[in-house]
Amino acid sequence: MVAGLGHELRQPLFAVKSIAQLVLQAPEAEREALLTSLLEQVGHMEQLIEAIGNYSRKPQGPSIVDVDGVLSQVRRWLAPRAGRLGLSLRVVGGAARAGSMDPVALTQILVNLGNNALDAARSRVEFEAENTGSEIRVRIHDDGPGLSVSSAQAFEPFVTTKPPGKGTGLGLPISRQLARDNGGDLVLIPSDVGASFELVVPLWVPKG
Ligand SMILES: Nc1ncnc2c1ncn2[C@@H]1O[C@H](COP(=O)(O)OP(=O)(O)O)[C@@H](O)[C@H]1O
Ligand SMILES: [Mg+2]
């Protein structure tokens, strides 16, 4: 992924250089528009570096985590954005307490999935946590158009259908990697409407 990052950064970097050269020669009236697109490119580079930076933070390893508690916190964080978009955000849970995962990784995965769902939803996003007795399954569902790329593609690094400055294509691959690093997994599951992802969180097993 890091090798890919260099390649991904070259495009906006080249754009920044070209736009800066244009600004030097542009009449005053055109500069504002050029500088705005220059800032967009810089913003995109920032997002790429931030996404990789978050991932490459020193992993803490799995520990006991209150999955319902993390879900409530994630809901509070996403609520302002959902509100601005006029979307309802619901968490269904209550039985999914002791999971085994790095809490920061779990939070990052759920924020990534929540933001994707908010990007796509028509009216609502729902998180649902279930304890099956052998693992905790957290499903994130939205009522948007569903995926326009294959599941395999969506989990590839740098694959994004969002405009520059909006998407990095790193949310899903990093989330899946974090889940697997913690003994869990992240998959797309079939749904009639919109998109549904399922995060598997191993149960916490107290040591004897
Ligand atoms: N809930 C969703 N509904 C529709 N498409 C989605 C959803 N989540 C992810 N995708 C698709 O998968 C792509 C990759 O997602 P992601 O890795 O998070 O990157 P990004 O969000 O930066 O584009 C998105 O650009 C989008 O095309
Ligand atoms: Mg994303």
Side-chain angles (χ1 to χ4, degrees):
M1 216 178 312
V2 174
L5 181 65
H7 175 77
E8 289 298 314
L9 284 173
R10 238 189 300 279
Q11 292 172 33
L13 195 62
F14 179 75
V16 164
K17 197 174 168 186
S18 315
I19 296 167
Q21 279 160 354
L22 286 174
V23 171
L24 282 177
Q25 301 150 15
E28 191 66 41
E30 287 168 24
R31 285 194 183 164
E32 189 176 334
L34 286 168
L35 288 172
T36 301
S37 66
L38 188 147
L39 281 176
E40 272 170 24
Q41 297 291 336
V42 171
H44 183 54
M45 289 193 281
E46 249 172 11
Q47 285 181 347
L48 285 166
I49 291 166
E50 192 186 325
I52 290 274
N54 281 341
Y55 176 67
S56 54
R57 105 182 214 288
K58 200 165 180 291
Q60 300 299 302
S63 62
I64 186 167
V65 61
D66 172 2
V67 175
D68 282 324
V70 170
L71 273 172
S72 305
Q73 190 181 52
V74 166
R75 204 193 78 86
R76 279 196 297 277
W77 279 344
L78 295 175
R81 180 157 185 249
R84 281 196 298 278
L85 294 167
L87 300 169
S88 89
L89 185 58
R90 218 160 73 95
V91 174
V92 184
R97 298 230 170 273
S100 163
M101 196 164 271
D102 170 5
V104 178
L106 177 61
T107 305
Q108 193 183 343
I109 295 167
L110 294 173
V111 167
N112 282 343
L113 294 171
N115 274 320
N116 278 349
L118 290 174
D119 285 341
R122 266 185 268 269
S123 67
R124 62 188 175 83
V125 169
E126 200 171 277
F127 288 87
E128 192 183 353
E130 179 199 4
N131 186 336
T132 68
S134 52
E135 61 198 15
I136 295 170
R137 296 189 189 155
V138 185
R139 277 181 291 275
I140 299 86
H141 180 72
D142 66 74
D143 63 351
L147 263 76
S148 59
V149 295
S150 72
S151 162
Q153 280 176 305
F155 280 101
E156 275 289 305
F158 308 114
V159 171
T160 181
T161 58
K162 296 169 192 175
K166 294 264 178 190
T168 59
L170 287 171
L172 288 178
I174 286 180
S175 296
R176 172 176 271 177
Q177 193 58 50
L178 286 170
R180 291 182 177 174
D181 289 349
N182 282 267
D185 204 357
L186 174 64
V187 291
L188 179 74
I189 57 171
S191 73
D192 292 337
V193 180
S196 293
F197 288 86
E198 185 174 88
L199 171 68
V200 176
V201 180
L203 286 180
W204 176 257
V205 182
K207 285 196 192 78

